[in-house]
Amino acid sequence: MPRPLKPLALRPGDAIRVVSLASPVKEDFLQKGCDEIARLGYAPKIDSASVLAHDSFFAGTASSRLRALREGLADPATRAVFCSRGGYGSNYLLDAWDAPPATPKILLGSSDITSLQTFLWQKYRWVTFYGPMVASNFCHGAGAAHGYDAASLT
């Protein structure tokens, strides 16, 4: 069996790209989540046009969502890619997926993002992280209802 490909750990000050790969996100939740990531000592990076896109049940078209993911994974200044929220639609990104960059990055998400995480593990042996999302968990804060567990994150 091929060895797992693990991403580098996050360090204080590292840039985290926030992407919307499934359902649309609420702007105020996104901002609160990014504020929480900054409070934790990281630098959230968002492209408001793509992260806040809305196309029916999705956060933009499949091609625009895949492009945002590819850019986040390819950006040398970004150490991790955090998903804004789950919902529905990330499975549509798999049809047009091609090989990821040679060096894996942290991919954090849950809910519908699990289909993408499973795909990356099965096809490329990437270690990804099932966990809190920016506009559905980080936005509520550590220890809060629907928030995240700070001890599990570090």
Side-chain angles (χ1 to χ4, degrees):
M1 174 181 280
R3 294 179 51 147
L5 296 176
K6 297 179 182 179
L8 297 173
L10 280 176
R11 301 173 308 220
D14 280 345
I16 295 173
R17 178 77 62 105
V18 178
V19 296
S20 294
L21 304 179
S23 295
V25 64
K26 293 180 180 179
E27 187 171 6
D28 58 333
F29 285 11
L30 177 68
Q31 185 59 55
K32 287 178 184 176
C34 287
D35 291 346
E36 181 68 7
I37 289 169
R39 188 192 69 74
L40 292 170
Y42 305 108
K45 294 173 63 175
I46 63 169
D47 171 11
S48 295
S50 67
V51 173
L52 295 171
H54 190 108
D55 183 34
S56 185
F57 295 108
F58 310 113
T61 64
S63 62
S64 68
R65 290 179 285 132
L66 181 58
R67 182 173 43 255
L69 177 59
R70 285 180 178 149
E71 288 172 2
L73 294 174
D75 180 6
T78 300
R79 179 63 68 99
V81 175
F82 283 14
C83 296
S84 64
R85 66 163 289 184
Y88 176 65
S90 63
N91 59 308
Y92 292 106
L93 307 182
L94 304 179
D95 291 337
W97 185 266
D98 52 11
T103 305
K105 290 189 179 181
I106 291 171
L107 175 65
L108 179 68
S110 58
S111 182
D112 188 63
I113 307 305
T114 307
S115 62
L116 178 60
Q117 292 170 316
T118 302
F119 174 82
L120 290 171
W121 169 252
Q122 289 179 340
K123 189 156 176 104
Y124 303 108
R125 286 308 203 227
W126 269 34
V127 173
T128 61
F129 298 91
Y130 185 90
M133 292 184 285
V134 178
S136 56
N137 304 111
F138 282 106
C139 62
H140 298 293
H146 304 289
Y148 69 98
D149 177 56
S152 297
L153 189 65
T154 56

